[in-house]
Amino acid sequence: MQNSFGRKKVILMFLLPAFIIYTLFVVVSVIWAGYYSLFDWSGVGDKTFLGIRNYVHLFTKDTIFWSTAAHTLVYTIICILIQVFGGLVFAIFLTRITRFRAGLQTLYYVPVVISSVAICQIFTKLLSVTPIGVINAVLSIFNPDLAFMEWISNDALSLPVAAFVEGYKYLGLYMVIFYAALIGVPKELEEAAIVDGANVVQQYLHVKIPYIRPVIVANCVLVLNGSLRSFDISYLLTKGGPGNSSELMSTYMYKQAFTSMKYGYGSAVAMAIVAICLIVGLVFRKITERGDEE
């Protein structure tokens, strides 16, 4: 009985600091945002109580918000493809080489530690039209018209380009996680597959990748969470434009709250983002849990 009580005290001692910090910085912030979302308020001066009218306008009349939700979904899918599946491919590549592995690992990880501002400046120069950037200069070798290809100011390309830059920045992070998972696969499993006649591709498809499936799911959840509330890359690179073609929910919320000085309405957008993130996260977890049971 005493040991059980002591174990509970130890568990409580480890959980309590994280619970207090999470409550102060997340739960309290969400409650305050929910409170402000009920008012017409510019951030200063008097507040006018509106009830749920901000939400009614947001969900029934604000077409831009729904377009930003669609953009965020596309942005998230591209980020998952680049960061999770790209990171997995790079990790597999690293496990197959013996020379220069540490150097390549460091090289791939460098974008993770570079600031988002620097990354966006680099890609702005690379994709520049005037003067012609490196990307367009290379493409013009195959087709001279591509020298004037507009990547960032093209409403059809600005969103995929912003998603690509975010995927590129964090690909190295997930590559390192996958690499650590792959080298942790027991050698006995690999040897058993070789004895059964499996080639290299079959070893990965039927043994190693299924073995690290929990890591893949965890990385998908992390990318999903990061992409749904992504802000910096999109805002710094395209500022949501041209027009609203690359506007994400988070940048739209920021503009409503701090540019248009509609702090109450911006808080309603923030609450909608919280709700959408929770729903998407729970649905994803439900789907992956069902896969585990099967």
Side-chain angles (χ1 to χ4, degrees):
M1 183 69 181
Q2 192 173 356
N3 286 339
S4 175
F5 183 69
R7 198 179 303 123
K8 285 180 181 176
K9 279 176 66 177
V10 171
I11 293 171
L12 190 65
M13 187 179 72
F14 280 103
L15 287 180
L16 199 58
F19 177 75
I20 292 171
I21 291 172
Y22 182 82
T23 303
L24 286 176
F25 289 97
V26 179
V27 177
V28 172
S29 301
V30 171
I31 291 171
W32 272 113
Y35 170 73
Y36 287 130
S37 69
L38 302 175
F39 292 88
D40 177 15
W41 189 41
S42 64
V44 292
D46 295 330
K47 299 187 285 290
T48 305
F49 184 72
L50 296 177
I52 60 168
R53 273 185 279 173
N54 277 334
Y55 292 100
V56 173
H57 179 81
L58 178 67
F59 292 121
T60 60
K61 297 179 181 177
D62 193 344
T63 55
I64 296 176
F65 172 73
W66 291 110
S67 68
T68 62
H71 295 163
T72 305
L73 181 63
V74 173
Y75 192 90
T76 301
I77 292 170
I78 295 173
C79 284
I80 287 176
L81 289 174
I82 295 174
Q83 294 176 27
V84 177
F85 295 101
L88 181 60
V89 170
F90 274 65
I92 290 172
F93 169 69
L94 283 177
T95 59
R96 301 302 304 173
I97 62 173
T98 53
R99 300 183 65 185
F100 310 116
R101 180 186 294 166
L104 286 172
Q105 211 169 348
T106 306
L107 189 67
Y108 296 151
Y109 194 80
V110 165
V112 179
V113 297
I114 297 177
S115 77
S116 299
V117 177
I119 289 281
C120 289
Q121 279 297 315
I122 290 169
F123 272 91
T124 301
K125 299 296 182 190
L126 288 174
L127 301 170
S128 171
V129 176
T130 51
I132 295 176
V134 174
I135 303 293
N136 282 4
V138 172
L139 292 175
S140 66
I141 297 171
F142 306 99
N143 185 347
D145 292 339
L146 293 176
F148 305 101
M149 183 74 177
E150 295 182 350
W151 298 91
I152 296 173
S153 57
N154 186 326
D155 58 358
L157 295 175
S158 57
L159 182 66
V161 167
F164 173 81
V165 174
E166 171 132 0
Y168 165 79
K169 175 169 170 54
Y170 294 107
L171 185 146
L173 175 65
Y174 297 100
M175 178 205 69
V176 170
I177 297 172
F178 281 130
Y179 177 73
L182 284 171
I183 61 175
V185 176
K187 289 290 180 190
E188 294 81 4
L189 293 177
E190 187 177 349
E191 289 166 0
I194 293 171
V195 170
D196 289 341
N199 57 34
V200 175
V201 176
Q202 289 169 330
Q203 288 172 34
Y204 279 98
L205 287 179
H206 302 297
V207 178
K208 293 184 178 180
I209 291 178
Y211 188 84
I212 65 167
R213 186 178 182 278
V215 179
I216 296 173
V217 172
N219 280 348
C220 284
V221 172
L222 289 174
V223 176
L224 191 68
N225 182 45
S227 302
L228 286 174
R229 56 186 176 80
S230 180
F231 176 85
D232 52 351
I233 298 288
S234 171
Y235 190 76
L236 291 167
L237 198 65
T238 67
K239 292 197 166 39
N244 296 311
S245 60
S246 62
E247 196 83 79
L248 302 179
M249 291 191 296
S250 54
T251 57
Y252 183 62
M253 181 269 293
Y254 175 83
K255 288 178 179 177
Q256 289 295 318
F258 301 108
T259 304
S260 301
M261 299 303 290
K262 298 177 182 173
Y263 196 83
Y265 191 71
S267 298
V269 177
M271 292 303 294
I273 294 172
V274 171
I276 291 171
C277 288
L278 282 174
I279 292 168
V280 172
L282 288 173
V283 169
F284 184 80
R285 286 300 302 164
K286 200 71 181 174
I287 293 170
T288 52
E289 281 174 5
R290 194 179 299 162
D292 287 339
E293 289 168 3
E294 290 172 356

